[in-house]
Amino acid sequence: MIERLSRPDLADLLPQRATVDVAALRAEVIAIEARKKNAGKMYARGGIDEETFQDTFEEADRLIAEINEQLKAAAGESPLAVFITSDDTAAIWVV
């Protein structure tokens, strides 16, 4: 069950309340997370300073929060909606 709820196409199971491309939004979150990870590596190697690193993380977190709000709105009141914005399906499942 957790494996199924972890798949990117989970949004296809939910009723769409808005004309939102859920798959594209999920892909954007994944891309932003990858950029955050890359910024961390660059900071660790001295490629960017601490201020740039902090600014990058704050902006990335802000963008992810905005996207997650769009995903929640698109999912509506479905009990599966919480899984769309989660990076850790297993943790959500046990709660």
Side-chain angles (χ1 to χ4, degrees), residues 63-83:
L63 290 170
I64 290 170
E66 284 180 8
I67 292 169
N68 283 338
E69 287 303 314
Q70 291 177 47
L71 289 168
K72 286 177 190 174
E77 298 298 320
S78 171
L80 298 177
V82 68
F83 294 103

Side-chain angles (χ1 to χ4, degrees), residues 52-69:
T52 302
F53 174 73
Q54 289 290 359
D55 289 347
T56 300
F57 259 65
E58 288 172 10
E59 180 64 10
D61 287 342
R62 186 188 67 74
L63 290 170
I64 290 170
E66 284 180 8
I67 292 169
N68 283 338
E69 287 303 314

Side-chain angles (χ1 to χ4, degrees), residues 3 7 13 20 46 78 85:
E3 187 277 327
R7 286 195 222 159
L13 301 176
V20 173
S78 171
T85 59

